[in-house]
Amino acid sequence: MSKSYPNIRMRRNRSSEFIRNLIRETSFSTNDLIYPVFILPGKNKEESIESMPGKKRYSVDKLIPLLGSLHKKGLNAIAIFPVVEKEKKSHDAKEAFNTKGLVQTAVKIIKKEYPDLGVITDVALDPFTISGHDGLVDKNGYVLNDKTVGVLTKQALSHAEAGADIVAPSDMMDGRILEIRTILEKNKFYNTKILSYAAKYASNLYGPFRNAVDSSDNLKNSSKETYQMDFANVAEASLEISLDINEGADMVIIKPGLPYLDIVTKIKNKFSIPIFSYHVSGEYSMIKSAAQKNYIDEKATVLEAMYCFKRAGCNAVLTYYTPEIIKWLGEK
Ligand code: PBG
């Protein structure tokens, strides 16, 4: 008997909810989410982010109760991004490793309040440089690799000392994972994890984020193409990731999210390292804007996206939709 219609009817296993539930190949839960948060200096502050409707930046005291209620409902981890005052930006980005800086202080407070909440910090200099670049620049505006790595290692160490569980270099300098791993080992931070933004593409989807952290005015029309990857490339992502694995990364990020899932699957089939994806600001704002006009169903679209990340091979996803997803999953 041939294995074809009508012996095989693909629709049989789709005919009711229980069977769809049984044969589902991927699952998705609050454990898979990382919530990126923007923090402001000072107290009692809360500001809307124009480029990301529905999202806000908070001073740490305002963020604490919010994180508490999400953590109770299953929030597993956050990623912190600071909004740095103009006066604290400099050519040498020394505020990045100030042990009393905004990020370092926030990590201490959050870890004290919620020891079980995973805290991830961003290792990159863009909030702290006048150029708005992720590294130090020479007089021609070229981002200097080795000098930048020197600052990044100090920044990563200051985050580890503050109690960060995971440091996440998002700068795309060469060799920084090895240098950061070396300084962490030397200082006995054996369990501080390194989440490398190993394949970070020079994407147009970061625009809303740069507005959120106030770096767009600094960056102006300058691009990050001399360090972030060309979006036309795929083999190069493999090489980036193999280097970072050898240098000591515990996990890697592929960024941005949905348009880059082909990279996730290829890497998944090639390496055994955990892969996270970053559903970036531009992706958030696109869904949000369409939903606000009722062009799409926001909840259904976002949950679909999360399954797509899992199906492609991601272990976890950084998404600004984390609070909404936690709420939606709770409703089911
Ligand atoms: C920079 C950084 C960026 C994002 C996270 N870290 C932007 C950039 O490379 O300019 C973007 C995240 C997002 O768009 O949501 N270190």
Side-chain angles (χ1 to χ4, degrees), residues 9-278:
R9 283 181 186 270
M10 292 306 289
R11 293 184 56 194
R12 267 187 217 119
N13 280 350
R14 297 174 195 149
S15 60
S16 57
E17 191 175 2
F18 91 86
I19 190 66
R20 291 194 295 271
N21 288 343
L22 285 178
I23 69 156
R24 188 159 299 126
E25 295 175 43
T26 36
S27 63
F28 161 69
S29 81
T30 54
N31 285 338
D32 304 320
L33 298 172
I34 297 161
Y35 183 26
V37 293
F38 300 108
I39 54 169
L40 292 168
K43 280 211 163 71
N44 201 26
K45 281 201 284 183
E46 189 175 321
E47 295 172 3
S48 298
I49 302 169
E50 203 192 325
S51 55
M52 300 177 71
K55 292 292 138 184
K56 290 181 174 173
R57 355 191 259 189
Y58 300 93
S59 54
V60 180
D61 58 314
K62 281 274 190 181
L63 188 64
I64 286 288
L66 219 143
L67 292 181
S69 84
L70 289 169
H71 189 35
K72 239 187 254 148
K73 293 178 199 140
L75 176 66
N76 208 24
I78 59 167
I80 298 178
F81 295 96
V83 182
V84 176
E85 296 134 300
K86 271 201 177 56
E87 314 83 75
K88 298 212 166 141
K89 299 187 193 240
S90 62
H91 292 293
D92 60 6
K94 66 176 191 300
E95 181 62 18
F97 54 89
N98 177 358
T99 52
K100 295 197 171 76
L102 178 57
V103 173
Q104 291 83 353
T105 312
V107 171
K108 272 184 213 146
I109 297 172
I110 295 167
K111 284 308 290 184
K112 186 160 175 237
E113 202 74 35
Y114 312 116
D116 302 332
L117 179 66
V119 172
I120 304 171
T121 55
D122 192 52
V123 178
L125 304 184
D126 52 309
F128 308 98
T129 53
I130 289 170
S131 67
H133 277 295
D134 292 28
L136 309 181
V137 293
D138 67 12
K139 56 182 185 319
N140 302 316
Y142 184 74
V143 175
L144 296 162
N145 194 86
D146 301 6
K147 269 208 168 135
T148 298
V149 172
V151 183
L152 295 173
T153 55
K154 289 186 199 165
Q155 183 186 25
L157 180 62
S158 74
H159 292 173
E161 284 167 346
D165 300 287
I166 304 180
V167 292
S170 70
D171 55 286
M172 290 296 280
M173 297 303 116
D174 290 319
R176 88 277 206 222
I177 301 299
L178 177 63
E179 296 299 325
I180 292 171
R181 179 56 78 208
T182 307
I183 204 168
L184 291 177
E185 283 289 314
K186 213 197 253 158
N187 288 276
K188 302 197 166 65
F189 289 104
Y190 305 124
N191 277 330
T192 305
K193 290 157 265 297
I194 302 178
L195 168 61
S196 172
Y197 285 75
K200 178 171 179 179
Y201 287 86
S203 173
N204 295 293
L205 294 165
Y206 306 147
F209 172 97
R210 292 177 189 167
N211 171 265
V213 297
D214 281 350
S215 72
S216 9
D217 289 348
N218 297 79
L219 197 60
K220 296 195 187 79
N221 293 325
S222 183
S223 96
K224 296 192 176 183
E225 286 164 333
T226 69
Y227 45 107
Q228 298 180 350
M229 278 182 57
D230 181 343
F231 46 69
N233 296 351
V234 48
E236 192 184 345
S238 268
L239 184 52
E240 280 282 7
I241 284 164
S242 69
L243 292 171
D244 284 2
I245 293 174
N246 285 334
E247 290 181 27
D250 300 290
M251 297 150 285
V252 294
I253 292 191
I254 291 165
K255 176 183 178 181
L258 293 179
Y260 293 78
L261 291 184
D262 58 323
I263 313 294
V264 170
T265 304
K266 287 196 176 108
I267 296 302
K268 187 79 185 175
N269 292 335
K270 209 161 162 183
F271 301 99
S272 309
I273 194 146
I275 303 169
F276 296 178
S277 184
Y278 199 141

